[in-house]
Amino acid sequence: MSFPLLTATAALPAVGAIVTAAVPAAQRTAAKWLALLFSLGTLVLAAAVFLRFEPGGDRYQLTESHAWIKDFGVRYELGVDGIGVALIALTALLIPFVIVAGWHDADPLETSNSRWRPTQGFFALILMVEAMVILSFEATDVFLFYILFEAMLIPMYFLIGGFGDRAHAGSDENAAAQRSYAAVKFLLYNLVGGLIMLAAVIGLYVVTGTFSLAEASGAEMATSTERWLFLGFFFAFAVKAPLWPLHTWLPNAMGESTAPVAVLITAVVDKVGTFAMLRFCLGLFPNASEWATPVILALALVSIVYGALLAVGQRDIKRLVAYASISHFGFIVLGIFAMTSQGQSGATLYMVNHGISTAALMLVAGFLISRRGSRLIADYGGVQKVAPVLAGTFLIGGLATLSMPGLAPFVSEFLVLVGAFAAYPVVGIVATSGIVLAALYVLVLYQRTMTGPVKAEVRGMPDLKARELAVVVPLIALLVFLGVYPKPLTDVVNPAVNHTMVQDLDKKDPKPEVEAAK
């Protein structure tokens, strides 16, 4: 038997979570290093998956299949296509940076009236989320995917509610109440979506007699049945993504979390929703996907414009990044349902590039907030004069967020807009307004926090330290590298997109209409 590489890639962080949680209470530093080592080991295995994957080979590779619940036909089936490989690489890449950035986020508080925060639990939960997300990108059994889709909510709930942001205005009691509210809202929204999806999963089994993605794809079903099942799946994925109007949990969750946990939410966990739209909605219900496309494109446009407009008006740095992410997820959904190869390739690249750019911006913002003790934009000013490296990295993260040419997100956003213009010109035109608004909220944020007179509260602010530079510099380097040379990703992603277009949707890209010269 060949080595079960996919299982090992997901199992290693799960084992790491158990080992880290078992470290004695007094050995907090040992727990941190163990978590980091397990995350780096997972990155090595993810790199092996990336290198062993053959873009020109079978659609699903490195497959594993074992009987699980025989009476119901549930199997432990794994396999990756190019889209899954790219997102596994993104997840494994970001987790070490999340751990290093949050090195002190779960240390015991110094104030006498604060409860002790279990450091081991914080890092163990991060590793457990990583394990579940990676396995969800690998699962080709619908029931197995559903279990993971729901199970990852549990560690995320405790990360949001139990390890919230310390830079919170008001009393400790008020901060705890806000964290609890954000965690419960996150859980309830996603649980409702998951319950609706469960009904659709059961319905799929009743109609097709299987949970296997390969066997259920292409199965004949009545038009009304396919549409109802599609809506059940899509609703859950739209909550996770998040897509307007199911987005309202995200600003609360990101605002009340520590910066590393906020990155975990939007750069890692939320990608499961958009990934599942490609793999399950388009793969299982191609006709229903085309039927729903006009409405979904309208929702995507609302997300793009609405998220950007609210980002412009934010006074809280982390909530601004959250609303910007809602706008970006609108672009991803737009690319998926434009039903063109450029749009879907761009959407997949957008998932990866958004993860890197948001991680860079949010983590630098977290370093900034930890120094001042406030998330409010108005409490900053003139930071670039006292901490130029921090200001410079913050600017690069912001420029990546607005998709500046030369940085990775530009490539993906350009492809999404090209794909949208090719199929739906009016939709593409409206979507470009999100670019203008992104420039507005990013540059205004930088101007208000980094330029102008130096405020007294930031006058002694230290610049980035070695640990913080170790987090930010590689992310910025990746943004530049993938901005000028995206070929390593496109070579892996494009064949998977072609499979989706040809095998699942039976569609070809629209040919551009060119008038003959007179």
Side-chain angles (χ1 to χ4, degrees):
M1 293 180 63
S2 60
F3 179 71
L5 184 56
L6 296 186
T7 293
T9 306
L12 186 60
V15 172
I18 296 171
V19 173
T20 302
V23 172
Q27 302 298 320
R28 293 190 298 273
T29 301
K32 297 174 185 179
W33 282 106
L34 273 173
L36 180 59
L37 288 174
F38 274 102
S39 69
L40 291 173
T42 305
L43 178 58
V44 171
L45 291 178
V49 171
F50 192 93
L51 293 174
R52 286 190 58 184
F53 183 81
E54 299 178 5
D58 295 337
R59 181 175 187 178
Y60 292 106
Q61 300 179 30
L62 305 174
T63 56
E64 303 173 31
S65 182
H66 306 281
W68 184 18
I69 308 174
K70 293 184 179 180
D71 292 342
F72 296 98
V74 179
R75 297 185 64 82
Y76 176 80
E77 287 189 344
L78 306 181
V80 287
D81 60 2
I83 300 168
V85 167
L87 293 174
I88 289 170
L90 170 70
T91 302
L93 175 71
L94 290 182
I95 296 302
F97 296 121
V98 167
I99 290 173
V100 175
W103 201 254
H104 298 297
D105 285 356
D107 289 347
L109 297 175
E110 296 179 358
T111 53
S112 58
N113 61 341
S114 297
R115 291 180 294 176
W116 181 71
R117 294 152 61 92
T119 305
Q120 289 84 342
F122 178 75
F123 293 102
L125 290 170
I126 290 174
L127 289 175
M128 189 57 69
V129 171
E130 179 184 23
M132 293 178 180
V133 170
I134 289 176
L135 199 56
S136 70
F137 292 142
E138 299 171 347
T140 55
D141 182 277
V142 178
F143 189 81
L144 174 61
F145 173 83
Y146 171 76
I147 294 296
L148 298 165
F149 187 82
E150 289 294 273
M152 67 181 69
L153 301 179
I154 299 171
M156 286 307 308
Y157 169 80
F158 288 109
L159 284 169
I160 296 169
F163 301 91
D165 189 5
R166 299 181 183 183
H168 197 293
S171 64
D172 289 345
E173 291 78 9
N174 180 57
Q178 291 296 324
R179 288 197 301 270
S180 178
Y181 171 78
V184 170
K185 189 174 184 180
F186 161 83
L187 188 64
L188 288 179
Y189 266 68
N190 283 276
L191 279 178
V192 170
L195 288 174
I196 293 174
M197 180 183 170
L198 176 60
V201 169
I202 295 171
L204 179 70
Y205 180 76
V206 171
V207 172
T208 65
T210 181
F211 288 114
S212 171
L213 178 63
E215 295 176 10
S217 297
E220 294 185 4
M221 57 184 78
T223 299
S224 59
T225 301
E226 181 181 355
R227 291 177 178 179
W228 279 111
L229 293 178
F230 166 83
L231 290 174
F233 277 78
F234 179 79
F235 183 87
F237 303 152
V239 173
K240 182 86 78 179
L243 184 69
W244 184 91
L246 305 172
H247 67 285
T248 59
W249 63 267
L250 183 65
N252 295 100
M254 289 184 66
E256 299 304 324
S257 301
T258 63
V261 173
V263 170
L264 196 62
I265 295 169
T266 190
V268 176
V269 172
D270 287 354
K271 298 301 186 299
V272 177
T274 46
F275 163 80
M277 291 180 189
L278 275 167
R279 174 167 284 189
F280 296 101
C281 286
L282 302 189
L284 294 172
F285 317 110
N287 295 324
S289 297
E290 291 192 58
W291 163 75
T293 289
V295 174
I296 295 173
L297 291 179
L299 295 177
L301 287 179
V302 173
S303 291
I304 292 169
V305 177
Y306 173 83
L309 284 173
L310 288 186
V312 171
Q314 287 304 304
R315 297 180 297 173
D316 183 308
I317 296 174
K318 292 169 71 176
R319 290 178 71 91
L320 185 151
V321 178
Y323 280 110
S325 291
I326 292 170
S327 181
H328 294 152
F329 276 104
F331 277 107
I332 295 172
V333 175
L334 172 63
I336 293 171
F337 284 90
M339 301 293 184
T340 60
S341 59
Q342 300 98 328
Q344 293 184 0
S345 293
T348 305
L349 291 178
Y350 214 129
M351 293 184 220
V352 176
N353 295 333
H354 170 264
I356 299 171
S357 62
T358 299
L361 180 61
M362 178 58 84
L363 293 178
V364 176
F367 298 149
L368 175 70
I369 291 168
S370 67
R371 285 159 165 73
R372 174 68 176 83
S374 173
R375 305 196 314 242
L376 297 179
I377 296 172
D379 288 341
Y380 296 88
V383 174
Q384 66 181 11
K385 296 177 182 177
V386 296
V389 177
L390 188 155
T393 54
F394 189 80
L395 177 61
I396 295 173
L399 293 176
T401 298
L402 62 82
S403 300
M404 180 179 176
L407 297 175
F410 170 77
V411 179
S412 46
E413 194 162 282
F414 177 78
L415 285 172
V416 167
L417 290 174
V418 167
F421 272 115
Y424 304 96
V426 175
V427 172
I429 292 171
V430 176
T432 55
S433 63
I435 301 175
V436 178
L437 293 171
L440 180 60
Y441 62 69
V442 167
L443 296 178
V444 169
L445 172 65
Y446 183 84
Q447 180 187 43
R448 291 178 177 175
T449 55
M450 303 297 167
T451 65
V454 180
K455 290 199 172 184
E457 294 83 359
V458 303
R459 195 172 300 278
M461 180 178 290
D463 214 333
L464 293 181
K465 301 175 182 178
R467 174 180 63 86
E468 296 164 333
L469 287 171
V471 171
V472 177
V473 171
L475 293 174
I476 291 176
L478 271 172
L479 289 173
V480 175
F481 175 76
L482 294 176
V484 298
Y485 190 68
K487 190 174 184 295
L489 278 179
T490 56
D491 285 349
V492 171
V493 166
N494 287 342
V497 169
N498 290 334
H499 280 298
T500 302
M501 289 289 295
V502 176
Q503 295 182 14
D504 296 338
L505 299 174
D506 193 22
K507 291 179 69 70
K508 295 182 179 179
D509 290 328
K511 294 182 179 180
E513 298 180 2
V514 181
E515 294 184 4
K518 296 181 180 179

